[in-house]
Amino acid sequence: MENVYEKYGLKQVVNASGKMTILGVSKVSDDVLEAQKFGGQHFFEMSDLVLKTGQHLAKVIGAEDGVVLASASAAIAQSVAAVIGQGSMHHVYHPFDERYTNREIIIPKGQNVDYGTPEEVMIELGGGKVVEAGYANMCSKEHIEMMITDKTAAILYVKSHHAVQKSMLSVKDALEVAHKHNLPLILDAAAEEDLRKYVDMGADIVIYSGAKAFSGPSSCLTLGKKPYFDWIRLQSKGIGRSMKIGKDNILGLTKAIEDYLEFGPETGDSMKERLTPFVKELNEIKGIDAKIVQDAAGRDIYRASVTVNNEAPIDALKLIEELKKDSPAVYTREYRANMGIIEFDVRAVHESEMTMIVDKIKQIMK
Ligand SMILES: *Cc1c(COP(=O)(O)O)cnc(C)c1O
């Protein structure tokens, strides 16, 4: 294979930031690539491929129904359109027609986040009208309940580290309110790892990004209850056409999910083990205090948290800039760099790359 980095003059990238869209999210395994190759080199009756891969995944996970879509963002838009149109073919062809009056999608204010695009853009793309519940720092069951009207189409809950965590109602709370009012709960669980938890709780539409936790190709697995999935699949004849997924990625994600169910993700213990020598070496660099920390959203993910202290010649913001400058560019988690803290997520980082990172930081800090 010709060297793509050289041909186009691209920087090589070490991804210590996690599953980030700006870097291509994740790497697929050889088995997943094989499945994509088979998909790419064969024909199928596409509606059957979509239906049967989705139903197969739903069955092995224990959901009523499911479908593989192009992305979690596409799934949000199409789920919103689905609950507004409720299977109407007229609605599929005229998704923004005024006769569809029940368009309100209630979302906790602290969950209307920008994950690369704002949640509300995808809601509106599906024809939804955004109704925020609660406040920037809190949302309770009551806050949701008081926003429900006869125009409400669904409640959207975003389970994500991007969202406000404090004083936030739980998924279970949101589900209780939704079902008490005969409304579906759409759960954006894009980066979540547990494929059974929310389906078992009874969530109606649960959305997982394929390339995040499951290291699949660019895709999405959406799971949940009938009749929503007939309505979602119908969107492929309407707005969903602009979000079409290829047969290669449908088969790639299906394989990635099967492998994930069989082998699971790297465990937190394994991450801690790999991080221990890394953190030890980082601590030997003057100006750096490193320790192992758990994911803020409580997932079984551990990272190296690096504080750039007063003895350092440069601050954390300058350090991340220097790390990204030359090839291979090292990308870290930057969310708290303004407070002097950088995190290294090593799920997609090899031991030899960790050594390279330590050397690079030593150079920069000289
Ligand atoms: C990443 C992410 C998405 C979007 O996933 P895509 O598959 O890239 O569209 C949606 N919601 C949240 C909370 C995310 O983190």
PDB file of all heavy atoms in Angstrom, residues 327-346:
ATOM      1  N   SER A 327       5.083  15.777  13.030  1.00  0.00           N
ATOM      2  CA  SER A 327       4.637  14.414  12.793  1.00  0.00           C
ATOM      3  C   SER A 327       5.602  13.456  13.496  1.00  0.00           C
ATOM      4  O   SER A 327       6.807  13.640  13.378  1.00  0.00           O
ATOM      5  CB  SER A 327       4.632  14.132  11.292  1.00  0.00           C
ATOM      6  OG  SER A 327       4.145  12.853  11.049  1.00  0.00           O
ATOM      7  N   PRO A 328       5.114  12.444  14.227  1.00  0.00           N
ATOM      8  CA  PRO A 328       3.709  12.186  14.520  1.00  0.00           C
ATOM      9  C   PRO A 328       3.137  13.156  15.551  1.00  0.00           C
ATOM     10  O   PRO A 328       3.761  13.403  16.575  1.00  0.00           O
ATOM     11  CB  PRO A 328       3.723  10.764  15.077  1.00  0.00           C
ATOM     12  CG  PRO A 328       5.113  10.532  15.551  1.00  0.00           C
ATOM     13  CD  PRO A 328       6.015  11.437  14.776  1.00  0.00           C
ATOM     14  N   ALA A 329       1.967  13.695  15.249  1.00  0.00           N
ATOM     15  CA  ALA A 329       1.305  14.634  16.148  1.00  0.00           C
ATOM     16  C   ALA A 329       0.609  13.855  17.268  1.00  0.00           C
ATOM     17  O   ALA A 329      -0.074  12.880  17.001  1.00  0.00           O
ATOM     18  CB  ALA A 329       0.282  15.446  15.367  1.00  0.00           C
ATOM     19  N   VAL A 330       0.814  14.285  18.518  1.00  0.00           N
ATOM     20  CA  VAL A 330       0.185  13.609  19.653  1.00  0.00           C
ATOM     21  C   VAL A 330      -1.017  14.417  20.124  1.00  0.00           C
ATOM     22  O   VAL A 330      -0.870  15.585  20.509  1.00  0.00           O
ATOM     23  CB  VAL A 330       1.176  13.429  20.823  1.00  0.00           C
ATOM     24  CG1 VAL A 330       0.490  12.795  22.023  1.00  0.00           C
ATOM     25  CG2 VAL A 330       2.373  12.592  20.377  1.00  0.00           C
ATOM     26  N   TYR A 331      -2.190  13.820  20.044  1.00  0.00           N
ATOM     27  CA  TYR A 331      -3.417  14.482  20.497  1.00  0.00           C
ATOM     28  C   TYR A 331      -3.824  13.963  21.867  1.00  0.00           C
ATOM     29  O   TYR A 331      -3.914  12.759  22.076  1.00  0.00           O
ATOM     30  CB  TYR A 331      -4.558  14.256  19.494  1.00  0.00           C
ATOM     31  CG  TYR A 331      -4.520  15.219  18.342  1.00  0.00           C
ATOM     32  CD1 TYR A 331      -3.569  15.073  17.336  1.00  0.00           C
ATOM     33  CD2 TYR A 331      -5.402  16.289  18.281  1.00  0.00           C
ATOM     34  CE1 TYR A 331      -3.518  15.979  16.275  1.00  0.00           C
ATOM     35  CE2 TYR A 331      -5.360  17.188  17.217  1.00  0.00           C
ATOM     36  CZ  TYR A 331      -4.412  17.028  16.228  1.00  0.00           C
ATOM     37  OH  TYR A 331      -4.362  17.918  15.191  1.00  0.00           O
ATOM     38  N   THR A 332      -4.101  14.902  22.793  1.00  0.00           N
ATOM     39  CA  THR A 332      -4.474  14.538  24.163  1.00  0.00           C
ATOM     40  C   THR A 332      -5.897  15.010  24.442  1.00  0.00           C
ATOM     41  O   THR A 332      -6.516  15.642  23.597  1.00  0.00           O
ATOM     42  CB  THR A 332      -3.527  15.238  25.149  1.00  0.00           C
ATOM     43  OG1 THR A 332      -3.663  16.655  24.954  1.00  0.00           O
ATOM     44  CG2 THR A 332      -2.095  14.814  24.916  1.00  0.00           C
ATOM     45  N   ARG A 333      -6.372  14.718  25.635  1.00  0.00           N
ATOM     46  CA  ARG A 333      -7.678  15.280  26.035  1.00  0.00           C
ATOM     47  C   ARG A 333      -7.429  16.665  26.610  1.00  0.00           C
ATOM     48  O   ARG A 333      -6.722  16.802  27.607  1.00  0.00           O
ATOM     49  CB  ARG A 333      -8.353  14.382  27.071  1.00  0.00           C
ATOM     50  CG  ARG A 333      -8.806  13.082  26.490  1.00  0.00           C
ATOM     51  CD  ARG A 333      -9.358  12.183  27.549  1.00  0.00           C
ATOM     52  NE  ARG A 333     -10.777  12.402  27.827  1.00  0.00           N
ATOM     53  CZ  ARG A 333     -11.743  11.971  27.064  1.00  0.00           C
ATOM     54  NH1 ARG A 333     -11.482  11.332  25.947  1.00  0.00           N
ATOM     55  NH2 ARG A 333     -12.998  12.160  27.393  1.00  0.00           N
ATOM     56  N   GLU A 334      -8.019  17.660  25.987  1.00  0.00           N
ATOM     57  CA  GLU A 334      -7.639  19.041  26.292  1.00  0.00           C
ATOM     58  C   GLU A 334      -8.652  19.796  27.142  1.00  0.00           C
ATOM     59  O   GLU A 334      -8.433  20.952  27.466  1.00  0.00           O
ATOM     60  CB  GLU A 334      -7.477  19.808  24.967  1.00  0.00           C
ATOM     61  CG  GLU A 334      -6.536  19.147  23.987  1.00  0.00           C
ATOM     62  CD  GLU A 334      -6.477  19.894  22.652  1.00  0.00           C
ATOM     63  OE1 GLU A 334      -7.278  20.823  22.463  1.00  0.00           O
ATOM     64  OE2 GLU A 334      -5.618  19.546  21.833  1.00  0.00           O
ATOM     65  N   TYR A 335      -9.764  19.107  27.480  1.00  0.00           N
ATOM     66  CA  TYR A 335     -10.885  19.833  28.093  1.00  0.00           C
ATOM     67  C   TYR A 335     -10.492  20.717  29.280  1.00  0.00           C
ATOM     68  O   TYR A 335     -11.102  21.738  29.527  1.00  0.00           O
ATOM     69  CB  TYR A 335     -11.963  18.855  28.582  1.00  0.00           C
ATOM     70  CG  TYR A 335     -12.470  17.907  27.540  1.00  0.00           C
ATOM     71  CD1 TYR A 335     -12.243  16.538  27.652  1.00  0.00           C
ATOM     72  CD2 TYR A 335     -13.183  18.376  26.442  1.00  0.00           C
ATOM     73  CE1 TYR A 335     -12.712  15.655  26.694  1.00  0.00           C
ATOM     74  CE2 TYR A 335     -13.646  17.507  25.485  1.00  0.00           C
ATOM     75  CZ  TYR A 335     -13.411  16.144  25.606  1.00  0.00           C
ATOM     76  OH  TYR A 335     -13.873  15.285  24.663  1.00  0.00           O
ATOM     77  N   ARG A 336      -9.462  20.252  30.061  1.00  0.00           N
ATOM     78  CA  ARG A 336      -9.141  21.012  31.273  1.00  0.00           C
ATOM     79  C   ARG A 336      -7.762  21.654  31.207  1.00  0.00           C
ATOM     80  O   ARG A 336      -7.157  21.973  32.235  1.00  0.00           O
ATOM     81  CB  ARG A 336      -9.277  20.087  32.488  1.00  0.00           C
ATOM     82  CG  ARG A 336     -10.743  19.614  32.651  1.00  0.00           C
ATOM     83  CD  ARG A 336     -11.006  19.079  34.020  1.00  0.00           C
ATOM     84  NE  ARG A 336     -10.288  17.831  34.224  1.00  0.00           N
ATOM     85  CZ  ARG A 336      -9.966  17.352  35.414  1.00  0.00           C
ATOM     86  NH1 ARG A 336     -10.286  18.009  36.499  1.00  0.00           N
ATOM     87  NH2 ARG A 336      -9.323  16.204  35.509  1.00  0.00           N
ATOM     88  N   ALA A 337      -7.273  21.823  29.978  1.00  0.00           N
ATOM     89  CA  ALA A 337      -5.933  22.397  29.806  1.00  0.00           C
ATOM     90  C   ALA A 337      -5.854  23.814  30.368  1.00  0.00           C
ATOM     91  O   ALA A 337      -4.814  24.232  30.874  1.00  0.00           O
ATOM     92  CB  ALA A 337      -5.551  22.388  28.330  1.00  0.00           C
ATOM     93  N   ASN A 338      -6.965  24.537  30.325  1.00  0.00           N
ATOM     94  CA  ASN A 338      -6.954  25.905  30.884  1.00  0.00           C
ATOM     95  C   ASN A 338      -6.731  25.899  32.397  1.00  0.00           C
ATOM     96  O   ASN A 338      -6.373  26.901  32.987  1.00  0.00           O
ATOM     97  CB  ASN A 338      -8.240  26.660  30.516  1.00  0.00           C
ATOM     98  CG  ASN A 338      -9.474  25.974  31.062  1.00  0.00           C
ATOM     99  OD1 ASN A 338      -9.437  24.773  31.368  1.00  0.00           O
ATOM    100  ND2 ASN A 338     -10.555  26.708  31.196  1.00  0.00           N
ATOM    101  N   MET A 339      -6.935  24.716  33.025  1.00  0.00           N
ATOM    102  CA  MET A 339      -6.654  24.608  34.466  1.00  0.00           C
ATOM    103  C   MET A 339      -5.310  23.907  34.714  1.00  0.00           C
ATOM    104  O   MET A 339      -5.001  23.498  35.812  1.00  0.00           O
ATOM    105  CB  MET A 339      -7.785  23.824  35.143  1.00  0.00           C
ATOM    106  CG  MET A 339      -9.113  24.562  35.073  1.00  0.00           C
ATOM    107  SD  MET A 339     -10.416  23.739  35.999  1.00  0.00           S
ATOM    108  CE  MET A 339     -10.802  22.367  34.959  1.00  0.00           C
ATOM    109  N   GLY A 340      -4.559  23.713  33.631  1.00  0.00           N
ATOM    110  CA  GLY A 340      -3.225  23.131  33.770  1.00  0.00           C
ATOM    111  C   GLY A 340      -3.196  21.611  33.700  1.00  0.00           C
ATOM    112  O   GLY A 340      -2.175  20.987  33.995  1.00  0.00           O
ATOM    113  N   ILE A 341      -4.331  21.006  33.325  1.00  0.00           N
ATOM    114  CA  ILE A 341      -4.409  19.541  33.327  1.00  0.00           C
ATOM    115  C   ILE A 341      -4.632  18.993  31.916  1.00  0.00           C
ATOM    116  O   ILE A 341      -5.501  19.477  31.180  1.00  0.00           O
ATOM    117  CB  ILE A 341      -5.554  19.064  34.252  1.00  0.00           C
ATOM    118  CG1 ILE A 341      -5.304  19.549  35.683  1.00  0.00           C
ATOM    119  CG2 ILE A 341      -5.685  17.535  34.220  1.00  0.00           C
ATOM    120  CD1 ILE A 341      -6.512  19.421  36.588  1.00  0.00           C
ATOM    121  N   ILE A 342      -3.830  17.994  31.564  1.00  0.00           N
ATOM    122  CA  ILE A 342      -4.008  17.294  30.280  1.00  0.00           C
ATOM    123  C   ILE A 342      -4.223  15.816  30.583  1.00  0.00           C
ATOM    124  O   ILE A 342      -3.590  15.277  31.491  1.00  0.00           O
ATOM    125  CB  ILE A 342      -2.751  17.400  29.396  1.00  0.00           C
ATOM    126  CG1 ILE A 342      -2.293  18.844  29.245  1.00  0.00           C
ATOM    127  CG2 ILE A 342      -3.008  16.791  28.032  1.00  0.00           C
ATOM    128  CD1 ILE A 342      -0.951  18.935  28.533  1.00  0.00           C
ATOM    129  N   GLU A 343      -5.102  15.158  29.842  1.00  0.00           N
ATOM    130  CA  GLU A 343      -5.279  13.722  30.047  1.00  0.00           C
ATOM    131  C   GLU A 343      -4.841  12.933  28.823  1.00  0.00           C
ATOM    132  O   GLU A 343      -5.011  13.377  27.687  1.00  0.00           O
ATOM    133  CB  GLU A 343      -6.745  13.407  30.368  1.00  0.00           C
ATOM    134  CG  GLU A 343      -7.101  13.750  31.799  1.00  0.00           C
ATOM    135  CD  GLU A 343      -8.523  13.335  32.175  1.00  0.00           C
ATOM    136  OE1 GLU A 343      -9.210  12.670  31.372  1.00  0.00           O
ATOM    137  OE2 GLU A 343      -8.937  13.675  33.290  1.00  0.00           O
ATOM    138  N   PHE A 344      -4.299  11.738  29.090  1.00  0.00           N
ATOM    139  CA  PHE A 344      -3.909  10.821  28.020  1.00  0.00           C
ATOM    140  C   PHE A 344      -4.797   9.588  28.091  1.00  0.00           C
ATOM    141  O   PHE A 344      -4.832   8.898  29.104  1.00  0.00           O
ATOM    142  CB  PHE A 344      -2.438  10.406  28.167  1.00  0.00           C
ATOM    143  CG  PHE A 344      -1.472  11.521  27.899  1.00  0.00           C
ATOM    144  CD1 PHE A 344      -1.182  12.455  28.887  1.00  0.00           C
ATOM    145  CD2 PHE A 344      -0.869  11.651  26.659  1.00  0.00           C
ATOM    146  CE1 PHE A 344      -0.301  13.494  28.649  1.00  0.00           C
ATOM    147  CE2 PHE A 344       0.023  12.690  26.405  1.00  0.00           C
ATOM    148  CZ  PHE A 344       0.306  13.614  27.398  1.00  0.00           C
ATOM    149  N   ASP A 345      -5.523   9.334  27.019  1.00  0.00           N
ATOM    150  CA  ASP A 345      -6.375   8.154  26.904  1.00  0.00           C
ATOM    151  C   ASP A 345      -5.601   7.148  26.056  1.00  0.00           C
ATOM    152  O   ASP A 345      -5.251   7.445  24.909  1.00  0.00           O
ATOM    153  CB  ASP A 345      -7.678   8.573  26.206  1.00  0.00           C
ATOM    154  CG  ASP A 345      -8.687   7.450  26.117  1.00  0.00           C
ATOM    155  OD1 ASP A 345      -8.298   6.327  25.720  1.00  0.00           O
ATOM    156  OD2 ASP A 345      -9.866   7.687  26.418  1.00  0.00           O
ATOM    157  N   VAL A 346      -5.317   5.964  26.608  1.00  0.00           N
ATOM    158  CA  VAL A 346      -4.397   5.054  25.902  1.00  0.00           C
ATOM    159  C   VAL A 346      -5.094   3.873  25.219  1.00  0.00           C
ATOM    160  O   VAL A 346      -4.449   2.928  24.789  1.00  0.00           O
ATOM    161  CB  VAL A 346      -3.295   4.517  26.859  1.00  0.00           C
ATOM    162  CG1 VAL A 346      -2.401   5.655  27.290  1.00  0.00           C
ATOM    163  CG2 VAL A 346      -3.886   3.780  28.053  1.00  0.00           C
TER     164      VAL A 346
END
